[in-house]
Amino acid sequence: MTSAGAPERSGTTRGGGTLYRGDLGMWSWVAHRITGVLTFFFLFSHVLDTALVRVSPNSYDKVIELYKNPVVNLFEVGLVGAVLYHALNGIRVMLVDFWEKGAKYQRLMLWSVLVVWVLVMIPGFYFMMQRTISELVGGH
């Protein structure tokens, strides 16, 4: 029996833990859920701040001005990273679920998702932060 009271099955341990504890597949599952929740809350707040233009255009203008803050720009980069990971990993999850060889190649597909994510995020980070960094160091 494990400490949680569930019987331990033979062949389900890897490195002393359960099959998923610390495995890359578990972390991709956790990251997929977190990025989905973050994207949901962004969309919810975006609908609210956009609706503000109908209620009070002056308040809307103040909110938009607040978004020009360098910290918010960094959050925008994080949002793009979250949405991109969620989308790419979602494609991988669909392939695992609906492609007969998906489970066999799921680890390779996860590494492919991570490589594509990094390759897109490097120039994305540069272009998204370019204005903020130049303003912080006094450039034009």
Side-chain angles (χ1 to χ4, degrees):
M1 288 246 170
T2 63
S3 60
E8 190 169 339
R9 298 183 314 214
S10 63
T12 61
T13 60
R14 180 182 289 175
T18 66
L19 181 62
Y20 296 107
R21 184 171 297 155
D23 188 51
L24 197 57
M26 181 201 73
W27 290 113
S28 71
W29 179 87
V30 169
H32 193 75
R33 270 52 179 184
I34 290 171
T35 57
V37 169
L38 291 174
T39 302
F40 170 79
F41 282 117
F42 164 75
L43 290 173
F44 182 73
S45 65
H46 180 62
V47 167
L48 290 179
D49 69 16
T50 303
L52 191 59
V53 76
R54 305 272 292 157
V55 177
S56 173
N58 289 334
S59 296
Y60 174 78
D61 290 340
K62 289 177 185 176
V63 169
I64 295 304
E65 194 61 35
L66 177 70
Y67 288 165
K68 296 178 182 175
N69 184 315
V71 174
V72 174
N73 189 217
L74 198 56
F75 282 134
E76 288 173 337
V77 172
L79 174 67
V80 168
V83 169
L84 180 63
Y85 173 81
H86 193 78
L88 292 171
N89 194 56
I91 293 168
R92 182 187 74 88
V93 168
M94 287 188 293
L95 287 171
V96 169
D97 287 346
F98 296 113
W99 180 35
E100 66 184 41
K101 295 182 181 179
K104 179 179 178 182
Y105 295 110
Q106 70 88 17
R107 184 174 291 275
L108 175 64
M109 288 188 292
L110 178 58
W111 281 110
S112 300
V113 162
L114 295 175
V115 166
V116 170
W117 185 85
V118 168
L119 290 175
V120 172
M121 283 306 296
I122 289 172
F125 179 84
Y126 173 78
F127 288 114
M128 290 182 75
M129 293 299 294
Q130 188 175 15
R131 178 185 52 87
T132 297
I133 292 171
S134 69
E135 287 176 7
L136 289 175
V137 297
H140 298 328

